[in-house]
Structure formats: structure tokens, C-alpha cells
Amino acid sequence: MSTMPSRQPKRKDAIRTRAALLAAATECFARQGYEATNIRAVCAKAGANLGAVSHYFGNKERLYREALVLAHRELVAREPVPQMGAGDSPRRALRNWVRYLLRIFLLRRAAHPYAGRLIAWELRDPTPALDDLIAEVLGPVRQALNQIVAAALGDADEPELRARCANFVHGICVFHDQNRELLQRFGHPVPDREEELVVLADTIVEFAMAGIKRLRTQPSATSPRRRKTTRSRPSRG
Amino acid sequence: MSTMPSRQPKRKDAIRTRAALLAAATECFARQGYEATNIRAVCAKAGANLGAVSHYFGNKERLYREALVLAHRELVAREPVPQMGAGDSPRRALRNWVRYLLRIFLLRRAAHPYAGRLIAWELRDPTPALDDLIAEVLGPVRQALNQIVAAALGDADEPELRARCANFVHGICVFHDQNRELLQRFGHPVPDREEELVVLADTIVEFAMAGIKRLRTQPSATSPRRRKTTRSRPSRG
DNA sequence: TTGAATGTCATACAATTGTATGATTTAATG
DNA sequence: CATTAAATCATACAATTGTATGACATTCAA
């Protein structure tokens, strides 16, 4: 860890080795997550020595952070977060959003080969890097969904209801990624090709739009029509 | 591992120690999952020696299996899987089902204090014990949901569409358990008290019933209205 | 070409963890 | 009470893994 040339590598070998290390790490982390990835395997795959990680990145965590940041930056650069255009209908916007998320998490050949898996792992087993990830990617993505839901809710839009609906859509999408094993055993393998994915996305959109519409006309659950005695002030008694 | 008195312990200390070990293990596994739980901590909590696990259970995995089986058996005994009664409307049945699942995964003081967490961990990080769990609990639970969805779909019921709808409901529910950290950071903490949970459940039911109804009248996504060439017999070629 | 900076390598170290074991203590039995 | 089987204990072992280091090799500039 004496020098750690993260900037300005002094020799050509350096950038090559560093890049190889980063690439190998990205793949390993994407495949197995942070904990299960061991440095030795990464170095072997990169054709580098064991000490290389210490030398170039200091430790495992910093290597991971750099891989994660690089990957998600590239992902966003290649496939921007879908924003609801002025002329877009909520349905159309939602369709784009759902497809976007499913592509990232489900598709084998996504815009970035590893970013999706890296993000999925980070969501599953959060590390200190989650904050950055939220700030740069997950936050904006979620924000986009919130806006779509708000538009779909129209007059009935209200923070809690909006969040709830967004959670439902969000949940349906990530469920298919986070529960592959279970779905496999239930006989419903998760699609990993574009065509099937689009069908799934459209089904989700129909389902969700109807659900939102229902909650728009009858948001009984979150704010009871006739609130009966506020239960001795449950809020911060 | 010489004797391993899983049946017929020869002395009174034995059953006491064994039980303490099992209880401690159940709590640890429920809190941290299989991998993160270490034998030493379990033994310490049980007031037993390190060798006790080898002695009474053989190894960590068998200890885990016994804890998992015991816990989920007790859970099912105390709170049976909600079946759709003959007179039940789909809405009512779905409400019971959603509440059931949310209680297991979200409630702090559930029917069984640890079974829910144990099952959640097993779903997150499947071990060989997943098969048993599916056979005894998850399978029947899912089956119950399938029946409810089938009833809600009515004439439009059809395996693929049914599975898809069930996935959506299922996904919405477990999302709230599997993504606590993220929801926390988004400012939408997951409810852990009965009253809030019921409200969430009812919202989910409204959302889902509307979604199912929509897909019932327009199942375009999964089975095109005009099925064009049955794709060279997709069923069991 | 030469020397100094720098990348690479084999190796070591410490910590963690599941498992196994032989000695010792304890309790049940005749 | 004595005997014996069983429970408990301290301890050891092997494997894994992140990290650090000092020797060696290589490249580049003067």
C-alpha cells in the first residue's frame, strides 16, 4: 500500500494491470457479491499477483467501490434513466420505466453486462457504498417512478399513497430478480430474453395501472374516509 | 460425533443442553442467517461448550436444519395456512392471505418469534433445506394463493396468467421484507405493528384485485387474443 | 548504459471458523 | 459407595481469507 497509484500510474504496465484487476473484480463481484468474492480469484483471473490489490487499490472494499461506481456510471451513460416526457401518458411512461428496470436486472445482455448484477447485490447485501449508489442511480430511478405514479394518481396524489403505489410497482419488478431460485422451483423461470421481458413488462403495467386507478378512486387504506377517533394521537404521543 | 444422542439422551443434562443449543441457534440463525452465524456464539449463548454442537447435532448444517424444521412446524401449527373457504369471496380470501404473509415476515411479535425470519433467510440464501421448506410450507402457501387468484380470474383463469398474477401479489408482499434497508432510506419504513400492517395489507388487496380484474378482461400480454400458431406445441413438446 | 523508480512476485502473518478429540468431571445405577 | 457411561471442557487442527512485506525484475530517463 506504499504508493497506491490510483492516479497517474508511472508505467504502462500499471494501467494495464490495474484495468485487468478492475475488470476481473467487476465480473466476480457481479457474479457472487462482495463477501463471496475472494481476492485471490480476482487476481488469478486478472493474471496479476496477490499483492496487486493492496498495491493498486489498498484493500478489497476500495476495489469494490471503484468497480461499482465505474459500472453504474457506464450503465447510466449508456441507458439514461427514463424520465416522463411532457407529452407522455402515465401508462406509456410506466411502461418505459418497468422495461428499464427489468432490463437492468433480468437481461443477460443488458446495456452493461455487470452493472445490473452489481446493483442487485448491493441492494441485497448493502455495503457502505449503498449511499453513493442511491445518490447517483437508485434515487433518480425511484424519483422517476414517483413522478409517473403521481401523474397516474392525478388529483388523488398524496405522498403516502404515492409511495405505496411506487413500492408495489417497484416490488413486482425486483421480485423477479430477487427470487429466481424460488420461482424456478415453482416452475416459473424468470425471463432473460428481451421478447419475454417485454411481455412481462406490459403485463405488469396493465396490472399496476389498474391498481393505481383503483386506489385513486378509493384510497381508503391510507387515509380512512371517516377517520374514527385518531386513537389518542398515535403520532409522536 | 461419536454417539450423537439425537434420540434418547441418556441424562437429564443432555436434553437441557440440547434444547438450549437449539434455542440459541434458532435465534442466531433467525437474526443473521446461516453463513453469518458462528458456532461459538451459539454455544456461548446456550451456555454450552464448543464441542456441544458436534456432540449433539454432528455439524452446523444439521443444527440449522433441525432449528428450521422445528420453527416452521410450530409456526404452521399455531397459524395454519389460510385456505379459501367455500363461501369466501376472492377479495376476502386474498385479504387473509396477504395479511398472513405480511404477519409472518413483517411482524415483530408474530405467531412464532423466529420462524418468519428463518424462512426469510432461507429464501434469501437458499441452503439444501429449501426443498423441505417448500414441500412443507412455501408450496402450500403458494398453492393457496394460486387458488385465490384462479377464483378471482374466473373464466379467464389460465396457468400462465394465474402464475403471473400470483407472482405480482407475492412480489409486492415480500418486497417489503426483502428491501427494508432501501425503503428505510427512501423514507418509507416498513410497518412492524399489526395496525399499520393491516392497512398495508388492505391497500395491497385493493391494488391487486383491480390488477387481476384488468388482466382478466384483457390478458393480452400472456396469451394474445388471437393466438397465432400455437408455436409448435409449447406444452411438453 | 546505468541507476533509480516502479511494477511484480513469493511468501508470511493474523484472524476467523467449522470440526474433532482426549482428558476430566458428573450423574445415574446396582 | 463404587462403577461406569455419558456429558463437558479445553484445546488443537486445518482451511480460508484479507492484508502486508521485502526481495527481485523491469522499464524509463538521463
mmCIF file of all heavy atoms in Angstrom, chain B residues 133-148:
data_model
loop_
_atom_site.group_PDB
_atom_site.id
_atom_site.type_symbol
_atom_site.label_atom_id
_atom_site.label_comp_id
_atom_site.label_asym_id
_atom_site.label_seq_id
_atom_site.Cartn_x
_atom_site.Cartn_y
_atom_site.Cartn_z
ATOM 1 N N LEU B 133 -38.485 -27.007 3.042
ATOM 2 C CA LEU B 133 -39.293 -25.831 3.375
ATOM 3 C C LEU B 133 -40.392 -25.616 2.339
ATOM 4 O O LEU B 133 -41.540 -25.314 2.674
ATOM 5 C CB LEU B 133 -38.389 -24.600 3.449
ATOM 6 C CG LEU B 133 -38.970 -23.390 4.171
ATOM 7 C CD1 LEU B 133 -39.289 -23.726 5.604
ATOM 8 C CD2 LEU B 133 -38.016 -22.220 4.101
ATOM 9 N N ILE B 134 -40.040 -25.789 1.083
ATOM 10 C CA ILE B 134 -41.034 -25.643 0.023
ATOM 11 C C ILE B 134 -42.099 -26.718 0.158
ATOM 12 O O ILE B 134 -43.297 -26.448 0.070
ATOM 13 C CB ILE B 134 -40.358 -25.715 -1.361
ATOM 14 C CG1 ILE B 134 -39.544 -24.445 -1.605
ATOM 15 C CG2 ILE B 134 -41.409 -25.892 -2.447
ATOM 16 C CD1 ILE B 134 -38.825 -24.422 -2.935
ATOM 17 N N ALA B 135 -41.643 -27.925 0.406
ATOM 18 C CA ALA B 135 -42.586 -29.039 0.487
ATOM 19 C C ALA B 135 -43.584 -28.854 1.622
ATOM 20 O O ALA B 135 -44.764 -29.160 1.483
ATOM 21 C CB ALA B 135 -41.823 -30.352 0.673
ATOM 22 N N GLU B 136 -43.107 -28.316 2.726
ATOM 23 C CA GLU B 136 -43.966 -28.268 3.913
ATOM 24 C C GLU B 136 -44.697 -26.951 4.102
ATOM 25 O O GLU B 136 -45.775 -26.922 4.681
ATOM 26 C CB GLU B 136 -43.132 -28.575 5.158
ATOM 27 C CG GLU B 136 -42.582 -29.990 5.163
ATOM 28 C CD GLU B 136 -42.294 -30.464 6.563
ATOM 29 O OE1 GLU B 136 -43.047 -30.114 7.478
ATOM 30 O OE2 GLU B 136 -41.274 -31.161 6.746
ATOM 31 N N VAL B 137 -44.092 -25.855 3.673
ATOM 32 C CA VAL B 137 -44.706 -24.555 3.943
ATOM 33 C C VAL B 137 -44.925 -23.743 2.673
ATOM 34 O O VAL B 137 -46.061 -23.450 2.291
ATOM 35 C CB VAL B 137 -43.850 -23.718 4.923
ATOM 36 C CG1 VAL B 137 -44.613 -22.484 5.349
ATOM 37 C CG2 VAL B 137 -43.443 -24.543 6.111
ATOM 38 N N LEU B 138 -43.840 -23.392 2.030
ATOM 39 C CA LEU B 138 -43.940 -22.442 0.935
ATOM 40 C C LEU B 138 -44.816 -22.947 -0.197
ATOM 41 O O LEU B 138 -45.589 -22.186 -0.783
ATOM 42 C CB LEU B 138 -42.538 -22.112 0.416
ATOM 43 C CG LEU B 138 -41.599 -21.572 1.488
ATOM 44 C CD1 LEU B 138 -40.206 -21.335 0.926
ATOM 45 C CD2 LEU B 138 -42.163 -20.291 2.077
ATOM 46 N N GLY B 139 -44.715 -24.227 -0.477
ATOM 47 C CA GLY B 139 -45.544 -24.800 -1.516
ATOM 48 C C GLY B 139 -47.028 -24.633 -1.231
ATOM 49 O O GLY B 139 -47.757 -24.032 -2.033
ATOM 50 N N PRO B 140 -47.486 -25.142 -0.098
ATOM 51 C CA PRO B 140 -48.896 -24.955 0.251
ATOM 52 C C PRO B 140 -49.328 -23.490 0.293
ATOM 53 O O PRO B 140 -50.432 -23.163 -0.167
ATOM 54 C CB PRO B 140 -48.967 -25.575 1.652
ATOM 55 C CG PRO B 140 -47.909 -26.612 1.651
ATOM 56 C CD PRO B 140 -46.800 -26.066 0.805
ATOM 57 N N VAL B 141 -48.474 -22.627 0.810
ATOM 58 C CA VAL B 141 -48.832 -21.207 0.868
ATOM 59 C C VAL B 141 -49.046 -20.665 -0.536
ATOM 60 O O VAL B 141 -50.037 -19.991 -0.826
ATOM 61 C CB VAL B 141 -47.740 -20.396 1.600
ATOM 62 C CG1 VAL B 141 -47.973 -18.905 1.422
ATOM 63 C CG2 VAL B 141 -47.715 -20.752 3.072
ATOM 64 N N ARG B 142 -48.120 -20.992 -1.384
ATOM 65 C CA ARG B 142 -48.241 -20.524 -2.761
ATOM 66 C C ARG B 142 -49.469 -21.136 -3.436
ATOM 67 O O ARG B 142 -50.168 -20.487 -4.203
ATOM 68 C CB ARG B 142 -46.966 -20.905 -3.519
ATOM 69 C CG ARG B 142 -47.008 -20.638 -4.997
ATOM 70 C CD ARG B 142 -46.925 -19.155 -5.295
ATOM 71 N NE ARG B 142 -47.025 -18.920 -6.725
ATOM 72 C CZ ARG B 142 -46.471 -17.891 -7.347
ATOM 73 N NH1 ARG B 142 -45.824 -16.980 -6.664
ATOM 74 N NH2 ARG B 142 -46.595 -17.756 -8.648
ATOM 75 N N GLN B 143 -49.704 -22.386 -3.149
ATOM 76 C CA GLN B 143 -50.850 -23.063 -3.727
ATOM 77 C C GLN B 143 -52.148 -22.368 -3.332
ATOM 78 O O GLN B 143 -53.055 -22.179 -4.161
ATOM 79 C CB GLN B 143 -50.862 -24.522 -3.254
ATOM 80 C CG GLN B 143 -51.738 -25.432 -4.087
ATOM 81 C CD GLN B 143 -51.376 -25.373 -5.559
ATOM 82 O OE1 GLN B 143 -50.206 -25.198 -5.902
ATOM 83 N NE2 GLN B 143 -52.360 -25.479 -6.432
ATOM 84 N N ALA B 144 -52.205 -21.972 -2.081
ATOM 85 C CA ALA B 144 -53.390 -21.255 -1.607
ATOM 86 C C ALA B 144 -53.580 -19.965 -2.402
ATOM 87 O O ALA B 144 -54.692 -19.623 -2.820
ATOM 88 C CB ALA B 144 -53.256 -20.951 -0.122
ATOM 89 N N LEU B 145 -52.482 -19.266 -2.615
ATOM 90 C CA LEU B 145 -52.566 -18.026 -3.394
ATOM 91 C C LEU B 145 -53.038 -18.310 -4.812
ATOM 92 O O LEU B 145 -53.884 -17.594 -5.359
ATOM 93 C CB LEU B 145 -51.195 -17.332 -3.419
ATOM 94 C CG LEU B 145 -51.102 -16.083 -4.293
ATOM 95 C CD1 LEU B 145 -52.081 -15.020 -3.817
ATOM 96 C CD2 LEU B 145 -49.683 -15.526 -4.314
ATOM 97 N N ASN B 146 -52.499 -19.359 -5.387
ATOM 98 C CA ASN B 146 -52.897 -19.713 -6.749
ATOM 99 C C ASN B 146 -54.410 -19.939 -6.846
ATOM 100 O O ASN B 146 -55.053 -19.482 -7.795
ATOM 101 C CB ASN B 146 -52.161 -20.976 -7.193
ATOM 102 C CG ASN B 146 -50.717 -20.697 -7.577
ATOM 103 O OD1 ASN B 146 -50.359 -19.546 -7.871
ATOM 104 N ND2 ASN B 146 -49.896 -21.720 -7.564
ATOM 105 N N GLN B 147 -54.946 -20.614 -5.861
ATOM 106 C CA GLN B 147 -56.386 -20.877 -5.888
ATOM 107 C C GLN B 147 -57.190 -19.595 -5.787
ATOM 108 O O GLN B 147 -58.215 -19.421 -6.457
ATOM 109 C CB GLN B 147 -56.760 -21.839 -4.756
ATOM 110 C CG GLN B 147 -56.319 -23.278 -5.040
ATOM 111 C CD GLN B 147 -56.576 -24.196 -3.869
ATOM 112 O OE1 GLN B 147 -57.226 -23.808 -2.895
ATOM 113 N NE2 GLN B 147 -56.052 -25.410 -3.956
ATOM 114 N N ILE B 148 -56.716 -18.699 -4.936
ATOM 115 C CA ILE B 148 -57.422 -17.423 -4.789
ATOM 116 C C ILE B 148 -57.388 -16.647 -6.100
ATOM 117 O O ILE B 148 -58.411 -16.128 -6.565
ATOM 118 C CB ILE B 148 -56.778 -16.590 -3.665
ATOM 119 C CG1 ILE B 148 -56.957 -17.303 -2.323
ATOM 120 C CG2 ILE B 148 -57.379 -15.191 -3.613
ATOM 121 C CD1 ILE B 148 -56.127 -16.711 -1.209
#
